């Protein structure tokens, strides 16, 4: 699904992959809807978490 991306993404990568703005991507991460972890000041999101989020969102 997201073959062109690394295994660990940052918020900008997530925003590009989902075709949303950075602000909306930060909201997804901060709310916990998209599982992520912080390394220093930067959010890190696994590609697996992003794929799972998309699959769950389309099951609505």
């Amino acid at each position: 699904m997201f073959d062109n991306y690394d295994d660990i993404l940052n918020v900008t990568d997530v925003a590009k992959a989902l075709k949303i703005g950075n602000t909306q991507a930060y909201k997804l991460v901060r709310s916990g809807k998209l599982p992520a972890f912080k390394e220093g000041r930067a959010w890190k999101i696994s590609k697996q978490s992003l794929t799972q989020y998309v699959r769950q969102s389309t099951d609505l």
Side-chain angles (χ1 to χ4, degrees), residues 38-50:
K38 261 188 140 176
E39 187 173 286
R41 296 182 70 188
W43 284 100
K44 303 292 182 178
I45 304 97
S46 71
K47 184 166 50 173
Q48 181 180 5
S49 293
L50 179 61

Side-chain angles (χ1 to χ4, degrees), residues 10-51:
N10 60 33
V11 174
T12 303
D13 295 333
V14 169
K16 287 179 185 176
L18 296 177
K19 297 181 180 166
I20 59 175
N22 281 351
T23 302
Q24 188 63 34
Y26 274 110
K27 285 181 183 178
L28 288 173
V29 168
R30 288 184 183 131
S31 70
K33 291 180 183 178
L34 179 58
F37 62 94
K38 261 188 140 176
E39 187 173 286
R41 296 182 70 188
W43 284 100
K44 303 292 182 178
I45 304 97
S46 71
K47 184 166 50 173
Q48 181 180 5
S49 293
L50 179 61
T51 302

